Amino acid sequence: MKKLSKKYRHAWLLCYWLIYLPWFFYLERSVQKDYTNMHVALDDAIPFNEFFIVPYLLWFFYVGGAFVYFFFADRQDYYRFCGFLFAGMTICLAVCTFFPNGTDLRTAVDPEKNLFCRLVHMIHMADTSTNVFPSIHVYNSVGVHWAVVRSERLRKYRLVREVSFVLMVLICMSTVFLKQHSVMDVAGAVLLAYAVYPFVYGSAYASGRRPVRQKVLG
């Protein structure tokens, strides 16, 4: 047990969820009205497409899988990955706290039409249309892909990087094609990602060389 606790002592970062989840659900309950509607003309030009529920739901496996992989594969990559995601997610919640926002873009769907519509309907029942800017769905997807690209262990697996890129793009697209988010939410998340990036990766990669790392496996 002592060896395991020492080997996986970096698990303490997961305590962040004890802060994030109560904060997130508090906002979900409290932001019901008197919020800024995130809506631009471009949103109306994007058609609803229920098939995008597939990449939208794959987000949970994409982000969750990255957590598991980096936790066991490389401690330094794990620290940077968590640092990037947790910093941005905290900023997103802070924005929603002081700038209550939501969207009126959601399209009514018939859950009896097909499986995809049924899944969209389930998402609508479980998730409110508030606290959408910046999009955490988009921010975390960008964060996962950047972590994959910056991983030395994954550098030799070109297919993994390419699949990650395609999935990241599809997830970002799914947020607007499912009318879960406005284009503004997506843009805000991408800009936030670029703002946080230098603080997490900038100094370590400025010279094009990786710092000496402590590896968990291998």
Side-chain angles (χ1 to χ4, degrees):
M1 288 299 296
K2 187 175 181 180
K3 288 183 178 179
L4 284 176
S5 62
K6 183 178 181 181
K7 185 176 183 180
Y8 299 119
R9 62 181 181 271
H10 51 295
W12 70 269
L13 275 175
L14 298 178
C15 291
Y16 172 77
W17 297 107
L18 298 177
I19 300 173
Y20 174 83
L21 290 176
W23 191 358
F24 173 81
F25 286 116
Y26 166 76
L27 290 174
E28 287 288 280
R29 293 192 307 269
S30 60
V31 181
Q32 300 290 336
K33 57 182 180 179
D34 299 326
Y35 56 77
T36 299
N37 183 36
M38 310 305 293
H39 191 157
V40 294
L42 181 57
D43 295 324
D44 299 325
I46 300 174
F48 171 80
N49 189 314
E50 70 268 24
F51 298 111
F52 272 96
I53 191 63
V54 175
Y56 188 86
L57 292 178
L58 283 177
W59 174 85
F60 294 97
F61 299 95
Y62 187 49
V63 177
F67 267 109
V68 173
Y69 174 79
F70 290 118
F71 179 86
F72 290 105
D74 192 298
R75 185 177 300 172
Q76 188 173 26
D77 279 344
Y78 170 78
Y79 278 132
R80 292 187 182 280
F81 175 62
C82 288
F84 183 89
L85 259 62
F86 294 169
M89 291 162 68
T90 300
I91 293 173
C92 287
L93 292 186
V95 170
C96 293
T97 300
F98 297 104
F99 176 62
N101 58 79
T103 179
D104 62 356
L105 295 170
R106 283 191 176 179
T107 300
V109 296
D110 178 8
E112 301 302 322
K113 179 181 178 182
N114 54 45
L115 173 62
F116 304 101
C117 284
R118 188 174 302 118
L119 291 172
V120 173
H121 180 73
M122 292 172 61
I123 289 295
H124 286 179
M125 294 297 99
D127 185 28
T128 71
S129 58
T130 57
N131 308 308
V132 295
F133 177 87
S135 169
I136 294 178
H137 228 77
V138 171
Y139 179 86
N140 283 0
S141 299
V142 173
V144 171
H145 180 64
W146 281 349
V148 169
V149 170
R150 290 303 187 181
S151 171
E152 281 190 354
R153 285 179 175 271
L154 297 176
R155 184 169 296 177
K156 58 183 177 181
Y157 300 109
R158 181 178 178 180
L159 180 61
V160 172
R161 298 197 307 274
E162 292 177 346
V163 170
S164 175
F165 175 76
V166 171
L167 185 54
M168 175 196 68
V169 172
L170 288 175
I171 291 173
C172 293
M173 291 175 61
S174 74
T175 63
V176 293
F177 277 94
L178 291 178
K179 301 300 180 179
Q180 288 289 97
H181 286 277
S182 165
V183 172
M184 293 177 65
D185 306 332
V186 175
V190 172
L191 290 175
L192 176 60
Y194 274 97
V196 173
Y197 180 89
F199 295 97
V200 178
Y201 293 102
S203 61
Y205 295 92
S207 63
R209 297 188 298 272
R210 294 296 303 271
V212 177
R213 62 175 63 224
Q214 181 179 4
K215 293 183 178 180
V216 178
L217 294 179

